[in-house]
Amino acid sequence: MLEIACFEVTSAETACQSMADRIEFCDNLELGGTTPDFYEFLHLKRNYKMPVYVMIRPKGGPFFYSEDEFVQMKNSIITFKEGGADGFVFGVLTSDNEIDVVRNKKLLELAGETPCTFHRAFDRTADLEKSIQTLIKLGFKTVLTSGGKPTAMEGKEMLKTLIEKYSDKIEILIGGGVRSKNILELKKFTGGKSFHSSAIRDYDTFVTDNEIKKLKLLSS
């Protein structure tokens, strides 16, 4: 499974016409991804068949949110769910970087049957095995992770451990610097089957169709 992160609608359109399996649609690359424009999302849903997972994140920076920001997250899930979102991507931590069980549970309840991915806020927690067990109990379908390190290549040992122990209970989506030049090594070393890449050029924010094709072929 190959997911492509897209930070603006032009890139999303490229990915929607590619060999990828789904896209993660968000805004503000420089902030690490925030909630995208609803009407751009509707444009994608009305014109393409590719599944679209929506980032639910009201700001960049830490994954601890004020009450007003959390209300924004809840409202975004309601809105995008009504618009036909195929999945949601979010992650709420406490002020000491642990999984916020109460708030994540509320967002999952609002999402209902729509599958949810806990994003790389997971990698900021102190004990990844404890955290993934919490996510499984909460009901997350997927966790996006680089194994607790800045990149998946650096975190491949932990990724291998997580996949061996927990991949039968939750989809472990390998992300963090995943490109065609390293995806085959990551696949062989970790045993992973799900990959996440932005597939962007080094000098701008647009995804490249050729890179997506390479990623898909090498991950298959």
Side-chain angles (χ1 to χ4, degrees):
M1 200 287 296
L2 176 63
E3 176 183 87
I4 300 296
C6 303
F7 296 87
E8 43 78 40
V9 71
T10 304
S11 290
E13 289 185 305
T14 299
C16 281
Q17 299 172 74
S18 74
M19 301 170 66
D21 297 291
R22 71 183 184 220
I23 69 168
E24 176 197 85
F25 189 44
C26 42
D27 198 3
N28 292 309
L29 172 65
E30 68 278 7
L31 298 178
T34 58
T35 305
D37 181 85
F38 178 68
Y39 293 101
E40 290 184 347
F41 160 78
L42 285 183
H43 168 76
L44 297 176
K45 289 299 298 179
R46 290 170 179 172
N47 291 281
Y48 302 97
K49 295 181 179 180
M50 179 78 69
V52 180
Y53 277 39
V54 179
M55 173 72 78
I56 303 296
R57 189 182 178 206
K59 64 169 186 176
F63 299 99
F64 174 74
Y65 301 102
S66 69
E67 187 57 38
D68 286 344
E69 289 163 346
F70 185 59
V71 169
Q72 288 180 49
M73 296 178 79
K74 291 189 288 185
N75 289 339
S76 292
I77 285 184
I78 293 169
T79 301
F80 282 96
K81 183 179 179 181
E82 291 178 351
D86 297 286
F88 295 111
V89 182
F90 59 83
V92 183
L93 301 181
T94 63
S95 57
D96 56 352
N97 281 340
E98 295 298 333
I99 305 294
D100 189 323
V101 172
V102 173
R103 284 185 161 184
N104 284 295
K105 185 177 181 180
K106 288 181 179 178
L107 295 179
L108 286 164
E109 288 172 350
L110 287 173
E113 296 300 313
T114 307
C116 296
T117 298
F118 196 95
H119 57 43
R120 285 184 63 199
F122 171 79
D123 290 319
R124 297 198 179 190
T125 64
D127 186 334
L128 296 190
E129 291 203 50
K130 176 184 174 182
S131 294
I132 201 169
Q133 291 167 16
T134 300
L135 298 184
I136 291 167
K137 289 178 182 177
L138 281 169
F140 279 92
K141 299 300 183 184
T142 303
V143 57
L144 172 62
T145 176
S146 57
K149 301 293 183 181
T151 70
M153 286 298 292
E154 294 173 90
K156 63 182 183 180
E157 293 280 357
M158 177 54 74
L159 287 169
K160 182 179 181 180
T161 297
L162 294 175
I163 287 166
E164 288 175 347
K165 289 187 175 182
Y166 304 104
S167 61
D168 61 331
K169 301 179 181 68
I170 189 170
E171 178 187 32
I172 297 173
L173 184 57
I174 298 174
V178 174
R179 297 291 186 272
S180 58
K181 62 186 178 182
N182 59 28
I183 192 170
L184 191 58
E185 180 179 349
L186 284 167
K187 179 184 176 183
K188 289 181 176 179
F189 185 87
T190 66
K193 297 180 180 179
S194 298
F195 299 90
H196 169 100
S197 175
S198 57
I200 59 173
R201 299 189 184 108
D202 292 335
Y203 52 86
D204 59 33
T205 61
F206 295 98
V207 303
T208 63
D209 187 56
N210 283 339
E211 175 67 3
I212 295 173
K213 287 179 181 176
K214 291 178 184 176
L215 284 161
K216 184 61 179 176
L217 290 169
L218 290 168
S219 64
S220 298

